[in-house]
Amino acid sequence: MRYRIPDEVPRHRFARFATRASAPYWASLVGGFLPALLWSTANAWFLGCRDRRWQTAFALIGYSTVAAIGAVRLWLYQSGTFETVFGHDGRLVNALMNSAYFLGWLVVLRILIGRQVDLAAYRGSLGKQLPWGVVLIGLMVLTDRFVVPAVFDYFNGIVWVWGPSRL
Amino acid sequence: MTSDLFDAALQAAEDAMRRGSHHTALRHFEDALTANPESAEAHALLSVCLSRMNRRFGAVEEAERALRIDPELPLGHIALGYAALATGDVKGAKAAVEHVHRLEPEGVSALTLRCDIALATREQGELKTAALALLARAPEDVYAICMLSRAASLGGKGAEAERLAREALRIAPDDATAHEMIGWAFFAQRKYRQAKEAALSALSMAPDNETAFMLMAASALRQRWLTGWMFSFALWVMQNSERTFMTAVIIFNAVLMLTGDLLWHYEQTPWLEALNYGSWALAIIALGSFVILSRILAHEARNVRLVQDY
C-alpha cells in the first residue's frame, strides 16, 4: 500500500468549535470578562495549543486575582473606607481602582490570546476561515444586559464575579 | 531491490528539496516511505520539507513518527524544532537545538535552526554568533552569509549588510533569501526604491514570504514621504502581529481611563467630552488607515518581478 502523507487538518477533538483567537478579547469589551475568559480557555483546547494546560491554570489564577481586586474594591466602596481614609479624593481612588480592575482583565485575556494567535491564524489559512463566534458574542451581550442585572437584584456584587463591560 | 528503490527515491527527494521543488519532493518521499515505512531519516526529512511548505500539523506528526522509530536521531529533533518554531513554540525549538548540539557537536543543522530562531525572535547578537559559527563550518554557505547580512542590517550597518548580501547573490543569483537580505540592507541605508525592488524580486520567487512582503510594504510607504506617515501605526501593527495591536489597545485604554478618571474627579466636563469624542475619532482613523493600507499593498504586490542587478 502506498504511503500517505498526513493531511493538513487539526487532530484534536472538538477542533471544529475553535474561533479566531482575538474574538473573546473583543467580545469581553461588550459582554463581560468571565464568559470571555471561559471562552478563551476553551478555545486553547479547541485550537490544540501545545501549552493548553498552562493556559487553563493561568486563566484560573488570573481570574482569582482580578476578581479579588474587584471584590476588595466593592467592599471598600460599600463600607465607605475610601471616603474615611482619603476624604474627598476617595471617589478618585475608587475610580482608579475600578480602571485598574478593568485593565487587569484585558491583560489576562491578552496573555491568553497572545499564545493562541499564531495557531488560530494558521488554522484560518487552511481553507475556511475561523469564525468570530458571533452567536456566542450575542449570547454574552444578552446575558450581560438582562440576566446579570436580574441576578444583581438578589446577589449584590455579581459585577465583580462577571466582570464589567464597556457598553 | 526495495532498498535500491528507497535510496533512489530518498536521494531524488533531497535533490528536489535543495532545488526548492517541495511538491516534487513530496512525491519522492511517498515513494521512499512506501518502500521503507520504518525509515526515521525519511520521516524526519519529510517533516522538514512540510515545515518549509508551512504545513505545520503534518510536520509535527512526521517529526514525532521519526522520533518514535529512532529517539536519538539528530535530524528527527531538528525536524521537531522546525515544526515547533513554525507553531510559535520558540522554547521547544531552542530545546531541539540544545539536544542536537549534544548528540552532534560538529553538525551544521543545529546552527541553521539556531539562526532561524534568532531571526524569528530578532536577536541580533545571537543571529550574528550563530551565522559566524555556521560560516566557520561551511565557508561558502549562502544561508550563513545571508544571516550575517541580516544581523548587520538589524544593527544599522547597512553598507556591511549590502556587501554580504552581494556576496550571497554572487554565489546564488536566484536565491530568494539573498534578494530579501539585500533589500533589508538597502532599507537600512534608506535606499527605499532599491529595497522595494529587492523585496519584489524575493516575492517573485517565494510569494508566501511574509518578511519580504513587510519589507515591500515598509519601503513603499517610506517612498510616499508626504502621505506614508499616516499609515505608520497600521504598518507597525502589521509588522508586529495582532498581539501588538491588542497590547496597544490596552495601553490606549489605560491612558484613556486614567485621564478620564482625573478629569471626572476634577469636574472638567468639556475636556472629558473632548477626550471621549477624540478617542472614538482616533479609533476610526486607525481602522480606516488599515483598510487603505491593505489596498495600497495589494496594488504594490502586483508588480513582482526578478531584478538581477541592483
Side-chain angles (χ1 to χ4, degrees):
Chain A
M1 205 168 72
R2 191 166 172 78
Y3 184 78
R4 209 177 130 80
I5 291 170
D7 291 327
E8 202 55 9
V9 287
R11 282 163 190 82
H12 305 280
R13 288 176 74 191
F14 310 117
R16 76 185 69 176
F17 298 116
T19 61
R20 284 169 191 252
S22 57
Y25 182 86
W26 305 120
S28 70
L29 298 177
V30 291
F33 280 88
L34 176 61
L37 195 70
L38 290 172
W39 178 2
S40 191
T41 310
N43 213 23
W45 290 82
F46 298 154
L47 285 167
C49 294
R50 288 162 80 96
D51 60 349
R52 50 193 179 269
R53 285 182 184 80
W54 184 94
Q55 288 193 40
T56 309
F58 179 81
L60 276 171
I61 295 165
Y63 175 75
S64 313
T65 311
V66 181
I69 294 172
V72 168
R73 185 201 65 82
L74 198 68
W75 179 76
L76 291 173
Y77 175 72
Q78 287 179 341
S79 63
T81 312
F82 285 128
E83 275 71 23
T84 315
V85 177
F86 298 103
H88 177 64
D89 290 338
R91 66 175 202 155
L92 176 62
V93 178
N94 177 41
L96 289 173
M97 210 167 154
N98 199 28
S99 296
Y101 170 54
F102 182 86
L103 293 167
W105 277 121
L106 278 183
V107 170
V108 170
L109 273 173
R110 160 65 187 79
I111 290 169
L112 282 182
I113 288 151
R115 288 170 171 264
Q116 300 172 16
V117 161
D118 284 336
L119 194 54
Y122 178 64
R123 280 277 308 270
S125 71
L126 297 175
K128 203 178 165 192
Q129 285 279 318
L130 287 178
W132 282 102
V134 174
V135 174
L136 208 50
I137 295 173
L139 284 173
M140 279 169 61
V141 173
L142 289 175
T143 314
D144 190 51
R145 282 294 165 92
F146 300 109
V147 180
V148 174
V151 176
F152 189 82
D153 288 343
Y154 296 97
F155 176 45
N156 194 10
I158 186 74
V159 170
W160 64 260
V161 179
W162 184 258
S165 60
R166 291 208 71 186
L167 295 181
Chain B
M1 185 65 185
T2 312
S3 170
D4 288 347
L5 271 176
F6 171 76
D7 290 341
L10 194 62
Q11 188 58 51
E14 282 189 73
D15 290 344
M17 267 177 80
R18 213 166 289 126
R19 289 194 309 271
S21 311
H22 296 114
H23 285 283
T24 312
L26 286 189
R27 218 177 48 240
H28 293 305
F29 277 123
E30 276 183 343
D31 292 340
L33 285 162
T34 304
N36 181 9
E38 291 303 304
S39 165
E41 190 191 357
H43 282 292
L45 278 169
L46 172 57
S47 169
V48 174
C49 184
L50 290 170
S51 281
R52 287 189 189 166
M53 295 172 80
N54 200 22
R55 285 175 59 170
R56 302 179 190 181
F57 295 128
V60 172
E61 197 164 322
E62 286 297 334
E64 285 171 351
R65 273 182 201 167
L67 289 173
R68 267 200 302 275
I69 297 166
D70 182 356
E72 293 301 302
L73 180 73
L75 191 58
H77 289 280
I78 288 291
L80 198 62
Y82 273 112
L85 190 62
T87 52
D89 179 11
V90 174
K91 218 166 126 185
K94 282 184 176 172
V97 169
E98 291 296 318
H99 195 83
V100 175
H101 193 67
R102 276 197 300 275
L103 291 172
E104 203 182 47
E106 295 299 315
V108 294
S109 51
L111 286 171
T112 310
L113 177 55
R114 208 175 130 193
C115 284
D116 282 323
I117 298 168
L119 191 60
T121 52
R122 290 189 171 202
E123 292 172 70
Q124 182 215 333
E126 167 66 7
L127 181 60
K128 190 176 176 183
T129 311
L132 280 173
L134 186 58
L135 206 60
R137 285 180 203 172
E140 285 280 289
D141 190 304
V142 172
Y143 188 75
I145 300 170
C146 284
M147 291 302 106
L148 263 184
S149 167
R150 187 72 185 104
S153 59
L154 279 174
K157 295 172 186 163
E160 191 190 337
E162 186 184 334
R163 185 184 60 75
L164 287 160
R166 284 191 189 279
E167 174 66 13
L169 280 171
R170 189 188 58 75
I171 301 168
D174 294 336
D175 190 300
T177 314
H179 281 275
E180 189 197 332
M181 293 309 130
I182 201 166
W184 285 115
F186 287 137
F187 191 81
Q189 297 174 84
R190 302 183 180 196
K191 296 176 182 170
Y192 299 125
R193 186 184 57 77
Q194 285 133 302
K196 194 173 92 179
E197 276 182 356
L200 290 170
S201 292
L203 285 170
S204 73
M205 287 177 280
D208 297 331
N209 186 333
E210 285 178 18
T211 48
F213 185 81
M214 286 306 158
L215 172 63
M216 188 273 293
S219 310
L221 289 191
R222 291 292 195 288
Q223 278 186 295
R224 294 167 180 246
W225 60 272
L226 193 62
T227 53
W229 61 271
M230 287 195 290
F231 305 105
S232 304
F233 177 70
L235 182 69
W236 175 71
V237 170
M238 280 177 88
Q239 283 174 330
N240 293 282
S241 87
E242 212 172 342
R243 281 189 199 91
T244 317
F245 183 43
M246 289 190 279
T247 307
V249 169
I250 294 177
I251 295 167
F252 181 69
N253 257 305
V255 173
L256 197 68
M257 292 175 80
L258 299 180
T259 315
D261 287 342
L262 287 169
L263 291 173
W264 167 77
H265 180 67
Y266 294 108
E267 292 168 3
Q268 299 292 322
T269 313
W271 285 106
L272 194 59
E273 279 181 6
L275 185 75
N276 189 20
Y277 290 126
S279 62
W280 277 106
L282 257 179
I284 290 165
I285 289 168
L287 285 174
S289 74
F290 269 112
V291 177
I292 299 168
L293 182 64
S294 305
R295 291 191 174 191
I296 292 172
L297 297 183
H299 175 74
E300 295 278 1
R302 281 194 211 116
N303 302 321
V304 288
R305 67 183 182 285
L306 181 62
V307 175
Q308 294 287 5
D309 184 23
Y310 295 102

